[in-house]
Amino acid sequence: MEKASTLPLQIIRASAGSGKTYQLVYQYIRLLFSSKEKDVFAKIVAMTFTNKAALEMKTRVVQALEILAYPENFKPSENKYSISPFCVSTT
């Protein structure tokens, strides 16, 4: 039996265009890099109410990971979701 997460459930409620997807992606990346577990990505659950919102969140997570991996390939003005490799601490 696996140990249950000690992190609290987070619910983000806000109106359209207020930054919910940004917050979800930010929290996902933060959890991903703050864990010592190699498979933590398989234990993070993020839910949305529409397939369109789920696709947007997935696209932004992948884009954020690409920016962190290859920051020299991106300019902040080129992407809707900008993230700096300095925004994520791995310590």
Side-chain angles (χ1 to χ4, degrees), residues 9 11 14 16 23 27 36 41 51 57 61 91:
L9 172 68
I11 298 173
Q23 275 301 318
Q27 292 299 331
K36 293 180 179 14
F41 64 90
N51 289 335
M57 188 168 49
V61 166
T91 58

Short mmCIF file of all heavy atoms in Angstrom, two decimals, residues 9 11 14 16 23 27 36 41 51 57 61 91:
data_model
loop_
_atom_site.label_atom_id
_atom_site.label_comp_id
_atom_site.label_asym_id
_atom_site.label_seq_id
_atom_site.Cartn_x
_atom_site.Cartn_y
_atom_site.Cartn_z
N LEU A 9 -5.66 18.90 -1.09
CA LEU A 9 -6.39 19.05 -2.34
C LEU A 9 -6.52 20.54 -2.62
O LEU A 9 -6.82 21.32 -1.73
CB LEU A 9 -7.79 18.43 -2.20
CG LEU A 9 -8.75 18.66 -3.35
CD1 LEU A 9 -8.27 17.91 -4.59
CD2 LEU A 9 -10.14 18.20 -2.95
N ILE A 11 -8.42 23.34 -5.04
CA ILE A 11 -9.48 23.63 -5.99
C ILE A 11 -9.33 25.07 -6.42
O ILE A 11 -9.22 25.97 -5.58
CB ILE A 11 -10.88 23.39 -5.37
CG1 ILE A 11 -11.02 21.93 -4.98
CG2 ILE A 11 -11.97 23.83 -6.35
CD1 ILE A 11 -12.29 21.62 -4.21
N ALA A 14 -12.52 30.25 -10.52
CA ALA A 14 -12.42 31.62 -11.00
C ALA A 14 -13.15 31.74 -12.33
O ALA A 14 -13.43 30.75 -12.99
CB ALA A 14 -10.96 32.02 -11.15
N ALA A 16 -13.79 32.95 -16.34
CA ALA A 16 -13.05 32.74 -17.58
C ALA A 16 -11.99 33.82 -17.76
O ALA A 16 -12.23 34.99 -17.48
CB ALA A 16 -14.01 32.74 -18.77
N GLN A 23 -2.41 28.65 -13.35
CA GLN A 23 -2.21 28.15 -11.99
C GLN A 23 -2.09 26.63 -11.96
O GLN A 23 -1.25 26.08 -11.25
CB GLN A 23 -3.35 28.59 -11.06
CG GLN A 23 -3.17 29.95 -10.48
CD GLN A 23 -1.89 30.06 -9.67
OE1 GLN A 23 -1.51 29.18 -8.90
NE2 GLN A 23 -1.19 31.16 -9.86
N GLN A 27 1.26 24.74 -10.74
CA GLN A 27 1.23 23.78 -9.63
C GLN A 27 1.74 22.41 -10.08
O GLN A 27 2.45 21.73 -9.34
CB GLN A 27 -0.18 23.66 -9.06
CG GLN A 27 -0.67 24.90 -8.36
CD GLN A 27 0.19 25.28 -7.16
OE1 GLN A 27 0.80 24.45 -6.51
NE2 GLN A 27 0.24 26.56 -6.87
N LYS A 36 10.95 14.05 -4.90
CA LYS A 36 12.13 13.20 -5.06
C LYS A 36 11.78 11.90 -5.80
O LYS A 36 12.66 11.15 -6.20
CB LYS A 36 12.74 12.88 -3.70
CG LYS A 36 13.34 14.10 -3.01
CD LYS A 36 13.93 13.71 -1.69
CE LYS A 36 14.58 14.76 -0.88
NZ LYS A 36 14.47 16.10 -1.06
N PHE A 41 5.01 12.19 -11.78
CA PHE A 41 4.09 12.63 -12.83
C PHE A 41 2.88 11.71 -12.95
O PHE A 41 1.80 12.14 -13.35
CB PHE A 41 4.81 12.73 -14.18
CG PHE A 41 5.31 11.42 -14.69
CD1 PHE A 41 4.52 10.62 -15.48
CD2 PHE A 41 6.58 10.96 -14.35
CE1 PHE A 41 4.98 9.39 -15.95
CE2 PHE A 41 7.05 9.74 -14.80
CZ PHE A 41 6.24 8.96 -15.60
N ASN A 51 -13.07 18.75 -22.50
CA ASN A 51 -11.92 18.21 -23.23
C ASN A 51 -11.04 19.33 -23.75
O ASN A 51 -9.81 19.20 -23.80
CB ASN A 51 -12.39 17.33 -24.39
CG ASN A 51 -12.98 16.03 -23.89
OD1 ASN A 51 -12.67 15.55 -22.80
ND2 ASN A 51 -13.86 15.45 -24.69
N MET A 57 -4.54 22.55 -21.05
CA MET A 57 -3.64 22.33 -19.91
C MET A 57 -2.48 21.41 -20.31
O MET A 57 -1.33 21.69 -20.01
CB MET A 57 -4.42 21.74 -18.73
CG MET A 57 -3.59 21.66 -17.47
SD MET A 57 -4.54 21.29 -15.99
CE MET A 57 -5.49 19.90 -16.48
N VAL A 61 1.49 22.38 -20.28
CA VAL A 61 2.47 21.63 -19.48
C VAL A 61 3.63 21.21 -20.37
O VAL A 61 4.80 21.39 -20.02
CB VAL A 61 1.83 20.40 -18.79
CG1 VAL A 61 2.90 19.46 -18.24
CG2 VAL A 61 0.91 20.84 -17.66
N THR A 91 15.65 22.33 -5.63
CA THR A 91 16.28 21.99 -4.35
C THR A 91 15.26 21.92 -3.26
O THR A 91 14.18 22.38 -3.36
CB THR A 91 17.36 23.02 -3.97
OG1 THR A 91 16.75 24.30 -3.90
CG2 THR A 91 18.50 22.99 -4.95
#
